Structure formats: C-alpha cells, structure tokens
C-alpha cells in the first residue's frame, strides 16, 4: 500500500511538474507570439516606410527629370532664338554695307561730275575773262582814237565834240554790258552745274 501511495504521489508530482511545464510552455508561446507579432508590425512598418521612401525618391526623380527636360527645351529655344538673332544681325549688316557702298559710289560720281563741271566752268570763265579783257583793250583803243580825233577836231565846234563823246560813251557802255552779260551767264551755268551735281 505504501508503494501505491508513493506511486500515486510520484504521479501527482509528475502531473504537477507536467502542468507547470505546460504553463511555462504556454507562457513562452504567448511571449513568442507577441515577439513575432511585434516583429511583424515592425517589418510592416519598415516595409511601409521603405515603400514611402521609394515612392518619394521616384517622385523626386520624376520631378528632376521633368525639370531637366524643361531646361533642355528652354536652352534649345534660347539657342534657336540666338541663332536667328545673329543671322538677322548679319543680314542687316550686309544690307547696310551694300547701302553704304552704293552711297559711296554715288557720292564719288557726284564729286567727279562736280569736278568736271567746275573745270568746264573755270575754262569758260577764263575764256570770258580773256574776251572781256580783249573787249576792254579794244574799247580803250577806240577811246584813245576818239580822243585823238577830238583833239584834231576841236576846231570843228561843240556839236562834233558832243557826237564824239556820245560815241565813246556808247562804246564803253556796250563793252561793260558785254562783260556783265558774260559774267551773268557764267554764274548761271555754275549754279545749274551745282544743282545737277547734287541730284
């Protein structure tokens, strides 16, 4: 009977130890499940944070890529505008050079024409002056002859003297009128030549 009690006691002790072990195992399982749940939450949180970071990085890369494309488009447009501006300035400079060249040629032609007109005018004026000098010399000779005849014809009376003086004055007036007419024509010719040269 004692052996049976010992056996029963041993069975109770073993059952108690088994229950205690089961309790410990259950507690450990609960702790393990808690740790696993915590690890799962941490992993999900880390995955979510990583996904958000990746999404933000992708958006930043997209924005940067769009900004780079916009900058390339702007740079290309600016370059095209600069090329058009340079081409327009070059064409304008070429047109201006052609215009200046044409004006210089016209000015040279005008100067040449004016020089030719001036030289021709100088020749004509010189000829007119020579003719005027010749007319004055002729008039002086006539006057001297008239004076000589007047001296010889003093005894002829006042009427002959007045006629001689009249002829002398008439000859002098005609000579002066011829000189003035020649000078007037020369001045008119010079004026016309200058106007034609300006045109």
């Amino acid at each position: 009977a004692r052996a049976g009690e010992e056996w029963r006691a041993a069975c109770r002790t073993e059952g108690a130890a088994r229950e205690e072990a089961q309790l410990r195992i259950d507690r450990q399982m609960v702790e393990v499940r808690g740790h696993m749940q915590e690890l799962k939450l941490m992993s999900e949180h880390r995955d979510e944070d990583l996904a958000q970071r990746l999404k933000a990085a992708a958006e930043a890369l997209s924005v940067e890529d769009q900004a780079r494309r916009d900058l390339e488009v702007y740079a290309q447009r600016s370059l095209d505008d600069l090329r058009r501006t340079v081409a327009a300035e070059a064409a304008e400079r070429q047109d201006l050079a052609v215009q200046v060249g044409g004006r210089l040629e016209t000015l040279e032609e005008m100067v040449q024409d004016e020089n030719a007109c001036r030289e021709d005018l100088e020749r004509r004026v010189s000829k007119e002056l020579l003719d005027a000098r010749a007319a004055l010399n002729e008039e002086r000779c006539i006057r001297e002859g008239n004076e000589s005849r007047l001296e010889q014809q003093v005894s002829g009376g006042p009427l002959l003297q007045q006629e001689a003086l009249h002829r002398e004055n008439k000859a002098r007036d005609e000579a002066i009128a011829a000189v003035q007419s020649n000078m007037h024509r020369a001045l008119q010719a010079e004026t016309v030549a200058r106007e034609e040269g300006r045109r």
Side-chain angles (χ1 to χ4, degrees), residues 163-175:
E163 291 179 356
L165 288 174
H166 178 71
R167 287 194 298 272
E168 179 183 355
N169 291 330
K170 183 178 179 181
R172 183 170 59 253
D173 292 338
E174 291 177 353

Side-chain angles (χ1 to χ4, degrees), residues 85-146:
T85 301
V86 171
E89 290 180 354
E92 185 177 356
R93 284 197 303 271
Q94 186 176 1
D95 294 339
L96 182 60
V98 172
Q99 293 177 3
V100 171
R103 291 180 181 177
L104 287 176
E105 291 179 358
T106 303
L107 183 60
E108 289 178 356
E109 292 177 355
M110 290 173 62
V111 171
Q112 292 177 358
D113 293 339
E114 185 175 357
N115 290 333
C117 292
R118 187 172 59 251
E119 291 175 357
D120 184 63
L121 180 62
E122 289 175 354
R123 286 193 298 270
R124 285 183 294 180
V125 169
S126 298
K127 185 177 182 300
E128 295 292 339
L129 288 175
L130 291 175
D131 293 340
R133 289 175 182 174
L136 288 174
N137 290 330
E138 183 178 358
E139 189 269 339
R140 186 172 59 251
C141 293
I142 293 171
R143 186 175 63 251
E144 291 175 354
N146 290 333

Side-chain angles (χ1 to χ4, degrees), residues 18-194:
R18 187 178 300 167
E19 289 178 358
E20 186 178 356
Q22 185 65 38
L23 289 173
R24 286 197 302 271
I25 290 172
D26 292 339
R27 287 195 297 270
Q28 290 177 356
M29 288 296 295
V30 172
E31 291 177 356
V32 168
R33 289 191 185 98
H35 288 307
M36 289 182 67
Q37 187 68 24
E38 185 178 356
L39 289 173
K40 182 179 179 181
L41 291 175
M42 291 177 62
S43 177
E44 290 177 354
H45 179 71
R46 185 170 56 251
D47 291 342
E48 184 179 358
D49 183 64
L50 181 60
Q52 291 179 354
R53 290 183 179 180
L54 289 175
K55 182 179 179 181
E59 291 177 353
L61 288 175
S62 178
V63 171
E64 183 179 356
D65 184 65
Q66 185 63 38
R68 182 178 55 79
R69 292 179 181 177
D70 294 340
L71 182 60
E72 289 177 355
V73 172
Y74 176 76
Q76 185 64 38
R77 289 179 179 175
S78 299
L79 183 59
D80 293 338
D81 293 339
L82 181 60
R83 288 175 178 172
R84 286 192 293 269
T85 301
V86 171
E89 290 180 354
E92 185 177 356
R93 284 197 303 271
Q94 186 176 1
D95 294 339
L96 182 60
V98 172
Q99 293 177 3
V100 171
R103 291 180 181 177
L104 287 176
E105 291 179 358
T106 303
L107 183 60
E108 289 178 356
E109 292 177 355
M110 290 173 62
V111 171
Q112 292 177 358
D113 293 339
E114 185 175 357
N115 290 333
C117 292
R118 187 172 59 251
E119 291 175 357
D120 184 63
L121 180 62
E122 289 175 354
R123 286 193 298 270
R124 285 183 294 180
V125 169
S126 298
K127 185 177 182 300
E128 295 292 339
L129 288 175
L130 291 175
D131 293 340
R133 289 175 182 174
L136 288 174
N137 290 330
E138 183 178 358
E139 189 269 339
R140 186 172 59 251
C141 293
I142 293 171
R143 186 175 63 251
E144 291 175 354
N146 290 333
E147 290 175 354
S148 177
R149 285 193 297 272
L150 283 173
E151 291 176 357
Q152 294 175 1
Q153 297 175 358
V154 170
S155 60
L159 182 61
L160 294 176
Q161 185 177 2
Q162 289 179 359
E163 291 179 356
L165 288 174
H166 178 71
R167 287 194 298 272
E168 179 183 355
N169 291 330
K170 183 178 179 181
R172 183 170 59 253
D173 292 338
E174 291 177 353
I176 292 173
V179 172
Q180 290 178 349
S181 177
N182 292 333
M183 294 299 293
H184 183 68
R185 287 197 301 272
L187 290 175
Q188 286 183 343
E190 182 180 3
T191 302
V192 173
R194 286 181 179 176

